[in-house]
Amino acid sequence: MLDAVLSRRRTTLVSAAIRIGYAWTVRRDEPRAWREIMSMAGVVNSLLGPGRTALTPTELVDQLSRYPLRQIAPEVFEDDPLGWLTVLEWDELSDDVYSDGCSAIVSLLEKGDRGRGWMPSWTWLQQEIVQNEAFLKIKTGASDADYVARRRYVIEYPAGELETIADQCSDAGIQPPVRYAPLPPDRVHQGRHWWPCPTCRWPMRVSGVTVRCSYRAHNAEYGIRSLEDGRPPKLRPRDDTVGRQPAARLLRTDGGRRTVCVELPVWRYIVVPGVDELALYKKWHGKPLLDVSLWPHQDAYDLKFAIESLQWTLAVDLKDVASASALADEIARKPLAAKTIVLPDHRGIAQRQELQDLLPDYTVLRVEDVNRIVKKKLSEARRAL
């Protein structure tokens, strides 16, 4: 059974902790940061329950820097993966926040929320609302074909030179579908170079001599190897499990060739899941006897597979979040058009089973399950010829 009360308590605590973390990172430049930290500390303490000694704002910041959330509030997170999230690392937001935490944000302090005047929207608006704002720009004035072209462009070209992006969009017959902004400072090495993640192509984070994609499942983490004679630095993989390393790109800051990227919410809510959606589409598109539709009816669902000769269809919605219970709570509030939910393989069998238990009216699969099903149906259709 879905415990919506516990799920809401959990996501509220995650949201307050992330807002504290963000405010802490800008406290030296933003005079409203300490008010935000104190306000959210009150939210966290209320969620810890009456039997716990209240933490001061500085004590809470210290704990958010040293421990995962499950150690701060074990009774709230139990075995939920969100409990392993650490908010701060070296006075900066951790990759956990970007990878999984921001997907669990819920709106806090509906009235009188002072954080809405200066904090980025992804820290106080839940994923669905931020995501819909980006989708609205992609959908405006678009036919179904335009929608697919625009959304696919964002996924395949989340960063680059502004002039190149404009030219590519013009060649494709579309306008730049979302806003492109200068690279965040933490994505640039010594003000001169940046590296795209080999999987999602968004600028990787630079921390000292380490470069890594903020989405942990992309398994892209490298050390920087500086070269002599002014040559661009090179990367070396962290270990043998990390794939190819990209070449350094020169950061340009002026004119039409300046380097830009999509903003963080677009990367996390459109680019990251879109990588798996596109990979699944490309794997099967063009196979004889099989028809594959990508984001049909402007995203009624993500993919639809059909084999006419078998009168067989499979419509799927891909979801990529850390917490099965938070996802189940969201779907319970807003049911999906597709009755099959697909999780990326890295989310694991355990999350698939947990989500299936929470949502018995849906079929929950992983990407590898979909590939197996489609392959089996194609073989069946070929034998029937």
Side-chain angles (χ1 to χ4, degrees):
M1 293 295 290
L2 177 60
D3 189 339
V5 174
L6 178 60
S7 178
R8 176 70 186 193
R9 187 182 176 198
R10 185 179 297 134
T11 52
T12 299
L13 199 151
V14 170
S15 303
I18 289 175
R19 288 178 60 150
I20 291 171
Y22 177 82
W24 180 256
T25 66
V26 299
R27 68 193 184 282
R28 294 185 178 90
D29 303 312
E30 174 52 63
R32 293 166 287 190
W34 272 107
R35 182 188 292 271
E36 178 68 20
I37 292 170
M38 290 186 288
S39 177
M40 290 300 109
V43 173
V44 171
N45 281 317
S46 70
L47 294 168
L48 295 180
R52 293 280 300 274
T53 301
L55 297 168
T56 67
T58 52
E59 288 173 338
L60 188 50
V61 167
D62 180 63
Q63 294 210 16
L64 292 176
S65 302
R66 298 168 58 193
Y67 307 120
L69 292 176
R70 66 177 293 123
Q71 190 158 335
I72 298 171
E75 71 284 357
V76 175
F77 291 98
E78 299 178 349
D79 295 327
D80 193 277
L82 283 174
W84 293 108
L85 188 151
T86 299
V87 174
L88 288 165
E89 290 180 349
W90 306 105
D91 269 4
E92 296 291 338
L93 289 176
S94 73
D95 288 326
D96 289 346
V97 169
Y98 300 123
S99 195
D100 289 322
C102 62
S103 297
I105 296 291
V106 294
S107 183
L108 305 176
L109 307 178
E110 292 288 350
K111 296 181 179 179
D113 186 350
R114 295 185 178 89
R116 298 189 180 199
W118 60 277
M119 299 177 73
S121 61
W122 66 266
T123 64
W124 52 267
L125 273 180
Q126 66 188 69
Q127 172 185 346
E128 180 185 357
I129 297 174
V130 179
Q131 189 174 2
N132 286 345
E133 288 179 353
F135 282 148
L136 181 61
K137 295 178 182 178
I138 297 175
K139 287 183 177 182
T140 299
S143 65
D144 286 356
D146 290 338
Y147 175 82
V148 172
R150 292 177 183 180
R151 185 165 170 184
R152 184 166 177 169
Y153 186 87
V154 172
I155 295 165
E156 294 183 322
Y157 302 99
E161 293 184 4
L162 188 61
E163 193 174 84
T164 301
I165 289 169
D167 289 344
Q168 289 172 330
C169 286
S170 179
D171 292 343
I174 61 175
Q175 293 292 323
V178 297
R179 179 175 180 267
Y180 285 78
L183 271 60
D186 67 345
R187 309 283 154 170
V188 180
H189 176 57
Q190 296 182 348
R192 295 195 62 195
H193 295 99
W194 66 281
W195 290 271
C197 167
T199 300
C200 67
R201 304 184 182 93
W202 203 61
M204 292 193 287
R205 193 174 193 179
V206 180
S207 178
V209 295
T210 299
V211 175
R212 64 187 183 276
C213 179
S214 288
Y215 194 71
R216 295 188 185 278
H218 291 167
N219 192 31
E221 184 173 345
Y222 310 89
I224 299 174
R225 182 162 59 92
S226 297
L227 301 178
E228 298 177 354
D229 303 325
R231 288 181 293 167
K234 289 191 174 183
L235 301 180
R236 60 176 184 277
R238 177 199 62 217
D239 55 45
D240 292 341
T241 69
V242 177
R244 65 194 184 282
Q245 58 266 39
R249 307 281 182 93
L250 183 64
L251 179 74
R252 300 182 185 275
T253 57
D254 297 314
R257 297 190 65 188
R258 64 185 179 274
T259 308
V260 293
C261 65
V262 300
E263 296 173 294
L264 188 145
V266 173
W267 165 73
R268 181 57 187 89
Y269 304 146
I270 296 180
V271 176
V272 168
V275 167
D276 285 313
E277 293 161 4
L278 269 181
L280 195 53
Y281 172 77
K282 290 177 179 179
K283 180 177 178 65
W284 296 108
H285 176 64
K287 298 288 186 182
L289 306 179
L290 176 68
D291 181 59
V292 187
S293 302
L294 184 63
W295 308 306
H297 311 298
Q298 297 198 8
D299 202 32
Y301 31 82
D302 291 327
L303 289 146
K304 181 179 179 181
F305 301 90
I307 299 178
E308 185 178 2
S309 61
L310 298 180
Q311 296 185 326
W312 172 79
T313 62
L314 176 65
V316 305
D317 225 321
L318 192 140
K319 298 295 182 182
D320 185 8
V321 297
S323 173
S325 62
L327 176 59
D329 187 33
E330 175 188 331
I331 293 173
R333 287 184 283 104
K334 187 178 179 181
L336 303 175
K339 288 299 181 181
T340 300
I341 300 168
V342 179
L343 306 177
D345 291 335
H346 70 83
R347 289 299 177 189
I349 295 173
Q351 190 190 67
R352 186 200 67 77
Q353 188 57 57
E354 181 184 2
L355 192 61
Q356 186 66 80
D357 292 342
L358 293 169
L359 296 173
D361 293 336
Y362 291 83
T363 298
V364 183
L365 304 172
R366 294 194 298 158
V367 169
E368 66 175 26
D369 299 322
V370 174
N371 286 329
R372 185 170 58 252
I373 290 169
V374 174
K375 182 179 179 180
K376 182 178 179 181
K377 285 296 181 180
L378 263 180
S379 296
E380 184 180 337
R382 289 166 182 154
R383 289 196 300 270
L385 289 177

